[in-house]
Amino acid sequence: MKATGTIEVKSWDENTWDGRPYKEVEGRKLTEAHVQFVYTGDVNGIGNCRYLMSYGDDVAWTTALEEITTDEGTLVLRHVGAYRTGVEAVIEILDGTGAYAGARGAATIDWAEDGSATYSLDYEV
């Protein structure tokens, strides 16, 4: 199955592992971000995501788990990537419930410079 649409960042709360706002800490740091996305299109729902990040000199390495909750069920995604001049990520669909029960596949998210994004989910149930 294939699903496409758009994503909007609804909220982003990121702190260092010792609880400080990440923007207040210069240089190398480890952070955790609680992010909420709004999905519209073939999948309509809210994505709740937890990113773990390691900031280096010119890159932020990321790994995350996300659960997208829709009226039809849930999808669980794993994100692994980096942010340099843009987002680089491999996103896997790991599981689901309801209409997405047992979903497995891949996802791509293309982020524009203005913060808008489109998604494409390719999965089997």
Side-chain angles (χ1 to χ4, degrees):
M1 302 186 85
K2 184 168 180 119
T4 60
T6 61
I7 301 174
E8 172 191 337
V9 177
K10 186 173 182 182
S11 65
W12 188 292
D13 180 27
E14 184 177 351
N15 292 295
T16 61
W17 285 19
D18 61 0
R20 295 178 289 168
Y22 81 103
K23 288 184 178 181
E24 293 180 6
V25 179
E26 295 294 322
R28 296 179 180 273
K29 57 192 160 199
L30 297 174
T31 67
E32 179 181 13
H34 297 238
V35 181
Q36 194 169 73
F37 299 109
V38 176
Y39 285 77
T40 56
D42 295 331
V43 172
N44 289 296
I46 301 295
N48 286 296
C49 190
R50 300 293 185 263
Y51 283 98
L52 295 177
M53 292 176 272
S54 174
Y55 285 82
D57 292 331
D58 62 351
V59 63
W61 298 102
T62 64
T63 188
L65 288 174
E66 177 181 6
E67 182 178 57
I68 304 169
T69 302
T70 75
D71 290 341
E72 293 81 32
T74 63
L75 282 164
V76 176
L77 282 60
R78 175 175 47 200
H79 305 243
V80 177
Y83 181 85
R84 288 184 178 88
T85 58
V87 177
E88 308 163 14
V90 173
I91 306 169
E92 296 175 273
I93 300 169
L94 301 178
D95 199 5
T97 64
Y100 308 108
R104 302 283 286 170
T108 56
I109 300 174
D110 294 314
W111 292 98
E113 287 186 29
D114 66 1
S116 64
T118 58
Y119 69 84
S120 178
L121 308 176
D122 292 301
Y123 62 95
E124 295 180 7
V125 290

